[in-house]
Amino acid sequence: MQERQLYEHKVQYYETDQMGVVHHSNYIRWFEEARNFILEAKGCSYRQMEEMGIIVPVTAVSAEYKAMSHFLDIVCVDARLKKYNGIKMTISYVLTDKESGEVRCKGESSHCFLNPQGQLLSLKRSFPEIHQIWEQILQEDQEKDPE
């Protein structure tokens, strides 16, 4: 089994506030960066899905902040597919400091799949090849982190 690749983000100055701490909204952006990273690694990027007529909006997002991140820290994002049924999915995130391993943030995002007209889409029925990729990601993530 191939070792899981984590998405790494180097904190930029503009992501910090006057106290030199990362503004909370940036963690949500890093969730999205990690999702894109995973999908590209699996050969199924957002761009490819959108070109096929699959839109993946966020329906809910939550974050629990554990410790502060600062300018030039490298934050590793472990994003795992927690739930998937062909129509909706939930992804969990654990963000850690690369150097210390300290958990900085934990969170989740929920999504659905829509067609260009904004109607719910069943990947299993309409895009079985994409459904298979999501099923594979779910299986791999559950094997590594059975919850």
Side-chain angles (χ1 to χ4, degrees):
M1 189 182 319
Q2 173 180 355
E3 186 169 325
R4 179 176 200 79
Q5 272 191 298
L6 301 181
Y7 174 72
E8 292 185 5
H9 179 85
K10 186 175 187 177
V11 176
Q12 301 301 304
Y13 184 76
Y14 69 86
E15 295 173 309
T16 62
D17 60 19
Q18 285 183 321
M19 297 180 296
V21 174
V22 169
H23 189 270
H24 66 275
S25 65
N26 289 298
Y27 292 91
I28 306 302
R29 289 182 180 92
W30 302 342
F31 291 179
E32 182 175 342
E33 291 174 13
R35 284 195 306 275
N36 285 317
F37 175 78
I38 289 169
L39 292 175
E40 286 178 12
K42 296 292 183 181
C44 181
S45 70
Y46 273 132
R47 176 176 289 209
Q48 290 167 306
M49 287 195 294
E50 287 179 358
E51 287 172 354
M52 297 171 75
I54 304 167
I55 300 168
V56 189
V58 174
T59 58
V61 66
S62 66
E64 184 179 349
Y65 305 101
K66 302 287 190 178
M68 294 180 262
S69 296
H70 301 88
F71 177 53
L72 298 180
D73 285 354
I74 297 176
V75 178
C76 299
V77 184
D78 186 2
R80 295 178 188 252
L81 188 56
K82 186 175 174 181
K83 297 177 188 171
Y84 170 77
N85 67 9
I87 298 170
K88 297 178 181 181
M89 68 174 171
T90 300
I91 300 173
S92 66
Y93 308 89
V94 178
L95 288 70
T96 56
D97 179 74
K98 183 176 182 176
E99 191 174 310
S100 70
E102 178 183 37
V103 174
R104 299 292 172 86
C105 181
K106 290 183 175 184
E108 285 189 355
S109 62
S110 297
H111 309 260
C112 65
F113 301 98
L114 301 176
N115 66 20
Q117 292 74 40
Q119 300 163 320
L120 277 177
L121 184 65
S122 168
L123 293 185
K124 186 174 185 177
R125 191 172 337 131
S126 302
F127 296 94
E129 66 283 4
I130 302 299
H131 173 72
Q132 189 64 35
I133 291 170
W134 284 106
E135 284 281 312
Q136 178 185 350
I137 293 170
L138 180 64
Q139 182 179 357
E140 290 172 3
D141 285 354
Q142 287 181 340
E143 286 172 2
K144 292 174 183 140
D145 187 26
E147 227 179 71

